[in-house]
Amino acid sequence: MSWLMSRFGESIFVLQTMPPRPASTDTHSRAIGTGKVATTEQAQEVHKAIREWMKKAVSDEAAEKTRILYGGSVSEKNCNELAKQADIDGFLVGGASLKPAFVDIINANQA
């Protein structure tokens, strides 16, 4: 990140969307494809930490304007709670986008 900052300045963050990996203190047990999902609280904790880092390392404006997407397993069952979190700005949806319930995930961010 420091190299990007020195090369392009803070504007690189203002226009970016950052999808963090699923949150966990044990990254091996929650690897992509295992079916194990982070809790809403874990996801929010990681997103908040990313935003706080951006405030310190880049600027308040970059932290505020950067959309941080949840890149874990999102479904119609957990999307509403995830969408209510202060630092989760949207979702990076994989396989769930192929299911009819995808519309529920889309609508979760409309509320």
Side-chain angles (χ1 to χ4, degrees):
M1 294 285 191
S2 298
W3 178 84
L4 289 173
M5 282 288 295
S6 67
R7 179 113 190 219
F8 299 104
E10 92 175 38
S11 63
I12 192 164
F13 291 101
V14 175
L15 301 174
Q16 296 301 312
T17 298
M18 298 181 70
R21 295 279 177 134
S24 174
T25 54
D26 180 2
T27 55
H28 297 293
S29 69
R30 296 202 198 280
I32 294 173
T34 64
K36 295 181 181 181
V37 234
T39 66
T40 301
E41 293 78 18
Q42 288 171 323
Q44 168 57 23
E45 181 182 335
V46 169
H47 283 70
K48 182 178 180 180
I50 292 169
R51 199 169 309 279
E52 290 299 320
W53 174 86
M54 289 188 73
K55 283 181 183 178
K56 293 175 186 167
V58 185
S59 72
D60 287 344
E61 180 185 14
E64 186 179 312
K65 290 185 176 181
T66 299
R67 303 301 92 202
I68 304 174
L69 304 181
Y70 176 68
S73 296
V74 64
S75 70
E76 73 280 2
K77 295 174 185 168
N78 64 4
C79 62
N80 289 316
E81 284 304 309
L82 287 166
K84 291 177 187 176
Q85 303 307 304
D87 294 294
I88 297 177
D89 299 314
F91 308 123
L92 181 63
V93 184
S97 66
L98 303 174
K99 299 176 182 178
F102 181 49
V103 71
D104 296 330
I105 297 170
I106 294 169
N107 290 333
N109 272 334
Q110 303 299 320

